[in-house]
Amino acid sequence: MELRQLEHFVTVAEERHFTHAADLLQISQSGLSASIRALEGELGMSLFARSTRRVELTAAGQALLADALRTLASAAAAQNAVAAVRGLMRGRLTVGAEPCAGAIDLPAELAQFHTVNRGVEVRLRYAGSVELIESVATGRADIAVVVETGPTPPGVTLHELGTQRLVVLAHPDHPLAGRSLITLESLRTESLIGFQSGWAAHVLARRACAAAGFDYRAAMEVNDVHPLLDLVGYNLGVAIVPASFAAKRPETLRTIELPGGLPTWSVAVAVADEPSPAARAFLDQLLANVAVQVAGSSVDASSVAAT
């Protein structure tokens, strides 16, 4: 069994498609299929149930996946550790992020990191915070910008970047739009627009509604902030969102405050307890830049107070 075969197996398992996996690996589909067949022959079991449209992991494939991820992560860590001794920054950095989490400008941060660390291949994938934290725990991602949604898995550390409150977003013609403050109980019979399960806004809204005594059930679910804003903009419902979402369209949508004591939108960086050199370097960069932003905000606030 070779590391190359495990990488091929993991890529097919994640993509659920041989053609897509071959494109990502930059090898021919026939070469990828031959590699998987050789691995299956060595193990004596089928790893994938194949169909004309996609492939699914068999029970044997599911059993192999977690160990394959750990093996690849360990091998990459060993290579990076040797490179670090030689004073080189190399390897791959897989970054995960929940879209529009806030607190940092992720594209700008990635550009800064890439400029300084040309030898590191940077990969980026967007997903919900629940999935991303699990990806860091299993080695699928080296580092992720997430929103805290619950207990942290063993082996993962969260470094907080910033916190903001939850608010309600509504169309100007909505009956609630003229109010400055409402309780969550006011939303019990409202049509809600929200995010899919696993995304931070869904988890936090569901938790808040449960504390208010009713089930959170979104009539319309999205996986990006812009469709959510569009749906609210057509007055199809209201949304429970972090304040930064509401600030994206202040001229066309109304922000309604909620009382204190609700779950907060806390943005954090999730990394393994023993991160790779590249992940450590990116984490240090993020924390340093956030510290500069906080210091700058404090200076601005002091200047306003003095005047």
Side-chain angles (χ1 to χ4, degrees):
M1 186 183 303
E2 301 177 0
L3 289 175
R4 173 182 55 83
Q5 290 175 310
L6 291 181
E7 182 180 11
H8 293 172
F9 162 71
V10 168
T11 305
V12 175
E14 291 179 340
E15 293 299 314
R16 296 292 197 271
H17 199 284
F18 272 84
T19 301
H20 296 167
D23 290 341
L24 283 175
L25 292 165
Q26 296 185 333
I27 63 175
S28 67
Q29 184 173 340
S30 60
L32 177 59
S33 296
S35 176
I36 296 298
R37 283 197 301 270
L39 180 59
E40 290 176 324
E42 182 176 347
L43 295 173
M45 299 191 74
S46 295
L47 300 174
F48 296 104
R50 299 163 174 82
S51 69
T52 55
R53 293 187 176 181
R54 58 189 290 122
V55 295
E56 298 291 343
L57 285 167
T58 62
Q62 292 173 350
L64 176 62
L65 182 58
D67 284 333
L69 286 166
R70 282 193 290 268
T71 299
L72 291 173
S74 296
Q79 292 173 338
N80 292 336
V82 172
V85 170
R86 297 172 56 198
L88 303 173
M89 182 68 74
R90 50 156 293 180
R92 177 186 298 168
L93 177 68
T94 301
V95 181
E98 177 151 333
C100 300
I104 63 168
D105 182 348
L106 184 57
E109 295 288 351
L110 292 174
Q112 178 183 336
F113 182 83
H114 177 68
T115 299
V116 177
N117 303 285
R118 294 287 184 177
V120 178
E121 177 191 358
V122 179
R123 291 187 174 184
L124 173 66
R125 62 183 297 267
Y126 284 107
S129 289
V130 174
E131 178 184 341
L132 289 173
I133 293 176
E134 184 62 26
S135 292
V136 173
T138 59
R140 286 189 176 95
D142 299 302
I143 188 168
V145 180
V146 301
V147 179
E148 297 183 40
T149 56
T152 306
V156 178
T157 299
L158 296 183
H159 300 264
E160 188 173 301
L161 298 179
T163 301
Q164 56 182 294
R165 69 193 187 282
L166 294 178
V167 299
V168 173
L169 201 57
H171 186 277
D173 294 337
H174 192 279
L176 296 175
R179 300 170 63 177
S180 59
L181 176 70
I182 62 172
T183 63
L184 275 175
E185 175 66 25
S186 304
L187 304 179
R188 181 186 289 270
T189 59
E190 293 293 333
S191 178
L192 298 177
I193 299 170
F195 285 80
Q196 297 171 350
S197 177
W199 296 73
H202 178 102
V203 175
L204 298 180
R206 185 172 184 176
R207 187 179 302 159
C209 291
F214 66 98
D215 291 335
Y216 170 79
R217 294 181 179 176
M220 300 182 182
E221 291 187 338
V222 300
N223 60 3
D224 187 75
V225 62
H226 299 291
L228 179 140
L229 298 176
D230 291 339
L231 292 170
V232 175
Y234 280 106
N235 205 10
L236 293 171
V238 299
I240 303 171
V241 297
S244 59
F245 284 20
K248 293 180 181 295
R249 298 187 187 177
E251 299 86 3
T252 57
L253 300 177
R254 297 293 179 264
T255 301
I256 310 165
E257 297 291 336
L258 290 167
L262 297 179
T264 56
W265 183 271
S266 297
V267 182
V269 183
V271 293
D273 289 345
E274 297 182 6
S276 68
R280 167 56 64 183
F282 191 51
L283 172 64
D284 290 344
Q285 174 191 303
L286 293 177
L287 296 179
N289 288 343
V290 168
V292 170
Q293 293 172 10
V294 171
S297 300
S298 299
V299 170
D300 292 341
S302 299
S303 300
V304 172
T307 57

